[in-house]
Amino acid sequence: MTSWTEELTRARLHVVSGKGGTGKTTVAAALALALATGGRRVLLVEVEGRQGIAQLFDRAPLPYSEERIASAPGGGEVHALAVDAEAALLEYLAMFYNLGFAGRTLRKMGAIEFATTLAPGLRDVLLTGKVKETVNRTGDGGRHCYDAVVLDAPPTGRVVKFLDVTKAMADLAKVGPIKGQSEGVVRLLHSGDTAVHLVALLEEMPVRETLDAVAELDAADLRPGAVLVNRVHPTRLPARSLPAAAGGEVDASRVRAGLVAAGLDLAEETLDDLVEETVEHAIRVRSQQEAMELLRESDLPTLDLPELTDGVDVAALYELAEVLVAAGVR
């Protein structure tokens, strides 16, 4: 496990992606709590319409508005926003074209859904455009309204296409506000203000997909941030015992002697089960170590998050946030 870097501390937009099933929404929520620790104000954004943030924090579905959903140690606050493409387009039409009433009429006619379905790149511009607005928004004193924004982004298989809106919109808009909006989003996403973090599990397929995503981000001139390794199992065996145990070589008599010395005299069947579990644990740990060696090829900061044996609830999110803060997230 390595530490959060000063370069990542300077980022204001933290994009979180990962292969489906790695727990990226959980990690994004924990990262938002970690970044808010110490009195900061953080916005957690989702763009996939799944209401994953509301479910994690045990709340009703989020409206298209910024809602305070949690407090962080030291007086920090986490707000949340579920970006809806249609609502974002209505906001966009009202902001740039003064078409508030006409936009609502278009929505009733189904024209907005038609437009975003016809041009998927337009949907991505609307979603990322709203994110850009929250990152850049300032108050009366000129200070940013949010110290950081955390984006729960699409999975790694789609994240580069989602973020690289210039190519998606190049043939659709040559001039005008849409072009200007696209260029503003791209400037933010390709700047040092943005870091794209990847959530991985210590399994071969998620690790391979993570490494592929790092290569794609590099090729698109988007800045990879940290690899957040989720559900890491603790090692409960001495390093010297691990190779033999992973090969099935566990001395049951020594295990029994150790248990008896500790005041435990187990039945033979229970002892056999314990030995079997020891072998399975050793195999899992060895597999994790091999996966971690592969991840080191990315040459990115790698932060480990533990397996949550009791499931994920709000208390577990705070537990994960504490681990991230201990690794230097701020």
Side-chain angles (χ1 to χ4, degrees):
M1 179 171 176
T2 53
S3 298
W4 199 253
T5 65
E6 286 298 326
E7 187 179 19
L8 294 178
T9 299
R10 291 192 291 271
R12 300 197 59 255
L13 173 58
H14 298 267
V15 180
V16 179
S17 183
K19 179 178 170 62
T22 57
K24 70 177 179 66
T25 299
T26 298
V27 173
L31 178 60
L33 284 168
L35 289 167
T37 298
R40 290 177 288 274
R41 196 164 184 260
V42 175
L43 179 66
L44 176 60
V45 183
E46 67 177 10
V47 292
E48 296 182 276
R50 295 184 296 106
Q51 288 291 338
I53 295 173
Q55 293 172 31
L56 274 177
F57 286 91
D58 195 23
R59 295 175 57 97
L62 295 170
Y64 183 57
S65 61
E66 292 155 33
E67 305 282 322
R68 185 178 179 277
I69 59 167
S71 299
E77 294 182 351
V78 176
H79 295 244
L81 171 65
V83 184
D84 173 76
E86 289 191 6
L89 181 53
L90 288 174
E91 184 178 60
Y92 182 85
L93 292 173
M95 184 180 301
F96 291 105
Y97 293 100
N98 296 318
L99 291 178
F101 177 77
R104 289 189 291 274
T105 302
L106 288 172
R107 184 175 195 172
K108 290 179 181 178
M109 294 171 58
I112 293 176
E113 183 179 358
F114 174 77
T116 54
T117 301
L118 184 65
L122 174 59
R123 176 180 292 270
D124 288 350
V125 165
L126 294 168
L127 297 175
T128 54
K130 180 60 181 178
V131 172
K132 182 207 75 169
E133 187 274 323
T134 63
V135 173
N136 292 340
R137 189 191 308 157
T138 56
D140 293 337
R143 179 178 174 178
H144 286 109
C145 293
Y146 294 105
D147 296 293
V149 174
V150 177
L151 170 60
D152 179 18
T156 46
R158 201 173 83 80
V159 69
V160 171
K161 184 177 180 181
F162 172 76
L163 295 173
D164 202 2
V165 292
T166 298
K167 294 178 182 176
M169 296 300 294
D171 296 329
L172 186 63
K174 300 295 185 181
V175 295
I178 292 180
K179 179 178 176 59
Q181 177 78 336
S182 301
E183 291 176 344
V185 170
V186 171
R187 279 195 299 271
L188 170 64
L189 295 178
H190 289 259
S191 74
D193 286 335
T194 299
V196 184
H197 309 297
L198 300 169
V199 181
L201 302 180
L202 290 179
E203 300 169 5
E204 184 177 0
M205 287 302 294
V207 166
R208 293 289 183 191
E209 188 158 330
T210 298
L211 294 175
D212 289 344
V214 171
E216 289 180 33
L217 289 166
D218 283 335
D221 195 29
L222 293 162
R223 182 163 68 109
V227 178
L228 303 167
V229 185
N230 199 19
R231 303 175 196 157
V232 176
H233 295 273
T235 302
R236 304 190 186 279
L237 290 171
R240 66 180 182 278
S241 304
L242 193 61
E249 300 175 14
V250 177
D251 189 337
S253 62
R254 288 187 62 188
V255 174
R256 177 177 290 282
L259 291 171
V260 170
L264 296 172
D265 188 8
L266 302 181
E268 195 68 32
E269 183 180 346
T270 303
L271 180 63
D272 290 342
D273 290 342
L274 184 59
V275 169
E276 185 178 343
E277 287 182 14
T278 300
V279 172
E280 291 175 355
H281 173 72
I283 291 172
R284 176 180 290 178
V285 169
R286 186 173 64 178
S287 176
Q288 284 191 162
Q289 291 175 343
E290 291 171 352
M292 185 60 78
E293 286 298 322
L294 279 176
L295 272 182
R296 290 198 178 100
E297 294 178 9
S298 70
D299 199 29
L300 295 175
T302 304
L303 281 63
D304 298 349
L305 292 168
E307 173 87 19
L308 299 172
T309 55
D310 295 329
V312 179
D313 56 15
V314 176
L317 293 176
Y318 281 92
E319 181 183 337
L320 293 176
E322 287 180 8
V323 173
L324 291 172
V325 170
V329 173
R330 60 194 187 282

